[in-house]
Amino acid sequence: QSIKILDQSLDAHKMICPLCHFFIYQVNQTECGHMFCETCLNEYTLFLDQCPTCDKKITWKKKISRCRIIDDAIEKLISNTAS
């Protein structure tokens, strides 16, 4: 299943958090571009200051960038898959 955003298709499997393996909830993007649930990333970085995907060091000033457009897209994917 996919939806179109700004003429680009987002596949549902690409919107899965690599830490919890569910749809990403409250998307947070690291400075290296990887996306995680806000809670998952916060819990992970309590122990390690690096990206869980590529191990790049996360600087706290640039740690998180919220993406509301992707949050909205994931909510639509979840409601579509629940139907």
Side-chain angles (χ1 to χ4, degrees):
Q1 182 140 27
S2 64
I3 60 174
K4 285 224 174 227
I5 297 178
L6 302 175
D7 295 326
Q8 294 184 5
S9 180
L10 290 179
D11 294 322
H13 72 278
K14 292 181 182 176
M15 297 292 101
I16 301 297
C17 175
L19 295 172
C20 69
H21 305 286
F22 290 104
F23 279 113
I24 298 173
Y25 179 71
Q26 296 178 332
V27 176
N28 279 228
Q29 184 174 9
T30 60
E31 60 190 279
C32 52
H34 295 107
M35 294 185 292
F36 306 92
C37 297
E38 180 175 42
T39 303
C40 292
L41 185 59
N42 286 339
E43 288 179 11
Y44 184 89
T45 54
L46 286 174
F47 303 101
L48 296 169
D49 289 342
Q50 63 190 39
C51 174
T53 301
C54 70
D55 297 330
K56 181 178 178 180
K57 182 157 179 67
I58 295 174
T59 56
W60 288 102
K61 291 180 184 176
K62 297 180 182 177
K63 176 184 154 191
I64 293 175
S65 173
R66 282 296 297 273
C67 187
R68 305 270 184 228
I69 293 172
I70 294 180
D71 281 344
D72 293 344
I74 290 171
E75 285 182 26
K76 287 180 185 175
L77 281 172
I78 291 170
S79 65
N80 288 343
T81 54
S83 303

